Amino acid sequence: MPRNRSTRPRPRRGSGRVRLRRWFRAGAWLLAGLVLAGAAVGAVAVHGLDREIRERFEGQRWALPARVYARPLELYAGRPLTTDALRTELQTLNYRVSADGGGPGEFRVGNETVDLTTRPFVFGDGPEPARSVRVEFDGDLVRRVVERGSGQAVELMRIEPLLLGSIYPTHGQDRILVDLEEVPRELVAALLAIEDRRFLEHRGIDPQGVARAAWANLRAGRTVQGGSTLTQQLVKNFYLTREQTLARKLTEAVMALLLEHRYSKAEILEAYLNEVFLGQGGERAIHGFGQAAQFYYQRPLRELRLDQLALLVGLARGATYYDPRRYPERARGRRDQVLRAMAETGAAPVGRVEAALAAPLDVSPVMPQGRSRFPAFLNLVRRELRADYADADLRSEGLRIFTTMDPVIQLTLEERVSAGVERLIARHGAALEDLQAAAVVTDPQAGEVLAVVGDRDPRYPGFNRAVDARRQIGSVVKPFVYLAALTNPGRYTLASLLDDRPLTLQLPHGEPWTPRNFDREYRGQVTAWEALVQSYNVATVRLAEGIGISQLVRILETLGLQHTPAPLPSLALGALELTPLEVAGLYQALANGGYATGTRAIRDVLDADDTMLSHYGLELRGAVADGAVNLLAHALHDVTVEGTGSRVGRRLPDTVVAGKTGTTSDFRDTWFAGFDDRHVAVVWLGMDDNRSTGLTGGSAAAPIWAEVMAGIGPHALALKRHPAITYQDVDLGSGLPVESNRHACERVKTLPFWQNSIPEGRAPCDSGRGRDGRGWFERIFR
């Protein structure tokens, strides 16, 4: 009987091996595809990383803040300057006193001499080299400037300007870029000795360095060395986040290799020197060794000693952990570690290293704040810049802005205003504890703002009252009423009689207005001179009505007022809201002989390559007759001697200055505005909520103004040099000349007259004969 056979097909010989081969072949193709895909993805990724490196490294690497500088101090024979003022300027620039003043940023004060060595600086018109000079003085003038080595006379030189502040990027980084050629060699040697000894040999990654660091850390039982090269550290700081993942580490390695492939060691090192994080000042991050030198020592990098350079290098490992202001012992230990590494590698002689090890940390005890020391002035600068520059450019393009600020005058203004406010508070108690202040000093001939105070605390970066606080100006406007009248000498002189009796006017909307004098007294007929010097309100309003309020508006606009005020009678008494800076602009025309120059706080703007972008020059806005201005200046000088501002004269008894007090209704605003031969200064006092202060311009603002001018060093006005001005004794009761019997008249004043405008006739009190040959009896009863 036959066997049963299976119904399944019988496998053919070798069919399993065929299937296996097929699977292997498919798997090989799949693996090859995956490898190729991975390689393609890797190539794309590497290409992307390479492009990112090139775009960032070759383009704009950093958002650089605009840096704002004061005006440079010019030295030349004949310049008004004292040794004290020069010393203050140099100290503000962080110059050090030394035995001979022979090193960069050093000076020595002798008997009527100052020896100093300046730092090089690039201005808008070119570089100013470092100079070592002797400045010789004759009282308050520079007698001559000579080179210390050769004794050769220096006709003109400039000291580098003070850095006022920066306009920071939104991310708060701050840095001063340095070129590798300018960096002290010892700094580079210290950096390589402690961070990357094989920097010049490796190609971005250093396996030997990694092994050495691992061994050192193993022996110490903690992390004492890092294996990252400077190139890897730059990649980490420049391109990557702080996350600690394997992917980020691989990306860092690839980018380091690419960076070394694309760029030279010098380019990489320079980028590291400018990028490394070295400290934190409030919201401001300190990047790069150039800024760190200023942040910790307030000096340029090139002026630092070996021990100071070593400390900065040590901070690269961890600026927060080794912060020398918070952890001085920790910082000193790190500094000494850097110094010993320099000795070990031969980067510095052993003797110098030992001397550096013995040196104190010597870090500036006060951390420089990110905000400016001069917030009100910097605020004014930013306002002017916005007319021509976008805010993004100011924060990122590394612009250099040269301003008009005089550091010595600025510091004087700050000190005198703050001290004056404190005296008033101490005298009047809690009622004035909220008293605020603002002040401005300008150079009227150049139209330059020299100093600004926007708060009774000049360092407070809040509301800038000098620029933003529009307050009624009161009697500060009165000189312009009289100026408008005096431009017509055929009709008005300082001897013209004005009516100071009670007055009521109908305003355009129908309501009556009755101006009153400050003391509620009325004096009948008074001369224009007395009405201005004693600040009589009613007589001034009558004068304004006589010339026409529209003439007052015209004269204000001619002299620089930027908006047209309402032509109401109250304008003559200061019903006009202006800022202290605007008041200073108007008074500049009075100090300039009638020429309105406007005000500006900027001279030049340079880009990061020192190319001039903008120059801001003198702007002439209008003019009035200089003869009328001269008459007014005489009267304003008398305000400071025998009028409402007489406290000025008592403080400055030997100096001819001019000015006007101002007090608004209910004592809400207190002003003094005035000038000498070279400066205009305005002081305002008041409450931010417009409450009464109980103060007057003569009792509060004028004394502060006088202290400011005394600190600046006032320059007397030369009032009697106008060729068309003549002088005549006048009886203030009648406004008529006194020619022969001055002592017979009760009140006589010598007044100036322009264009032969001396009044005809003779004062009744003068018993002699006048120019027409007749006596007073004959003239009266002719």
Side-chain angles (χ1 to χ4, degrees), residues 604-671:
D604 300 307
V605 178
L606 276 62
D607 67 12
D609 297 321
D610 299 322
T611 300
M612 179 77 73
L613 297 180
S614 303
H615 173 73
Y616 298 84
L618 180 66
E619 178 186 357
L620 182 62
R621 294 186 175 180
V624 296
D626 64 340
V629 174
N630 186 275
L631 298 181
L632 181 65
H634 276 81
L636 294 180
H637 167 59
D638 292 334
V639 169
T640 69
V641 176
E642 50 192 303
T644 56
S646 59
R647 295 193 184 195
V648 171
R650 292 199 292 272
R651 179 63 179 87
L652 305 171
D654 301 319
T655 307
V656 179
V657 296
K660 184 69 184 73
T661 55
T663 308
T664 62
S665 299
D666 298 324
F667 306 97
R668 291 189 177 98
D669 300 280
T670 300
W671 296 83

Side-chain angles (χ1 to χ4, degrees), residues 18-140:
V18 170
R19 192 176 298 114
L20 208 61
R21 259 195 315 270
R22 287 176 180 170
W23 289 346
F24 180 78
R25 190 178 298 118
W29 280 109
L30 178 61
L31 180 61
L34 291 173
V35 170
L36 289 173
V41 170
V44 170
V46 170
H47 178 73
L49 293 176
D50 185 54
R51 182 178 60 191
E52 181 181 352
I53 285 173
R54 285 186 285 109
E55 288 178 352
R56 181 84 185 272
F57 207 87
E58 295 173 8
Q60 180 183 332
R61 301 182 192 175
W62 298 282
L64 299 177
R67 299 198 179 274
V68 183
Y69 295 90
R71 62 94 186 96
L73 177 62
E74 295 181 337
L75 296 177
Y76 54 87
R79 180 194 170 93
L81 188 69
T82 64
T83 55
D84 286 342
L86 180 55
R87 179 194 289 111
T88 300
E89 181 101 15
L90 296 175
Q91 290 172 338
T92 303
L93 289 167
N94 292 311
Y95 274 53
R96 294 180 297 206
V97 176
S98 68
D100 64 351
E106 295 182 350
F107 74 102
R108 175 185 64 183
V109 178
N111 184 21
E112 291 289 294
T113 63
V114 175
D115 295 331
L116 70 142
T117 302
T118 64
R119 300 162 177 148
F121 195 85
V122 178
F123 293 95
D125 57 357
E128 181 84 18
R131 293 176 180 268
S132 187
V133 299
R134 168 165 289 184
V135 185
E136 300 177 357
F137 292 85
D138 183 7
D140 59 357

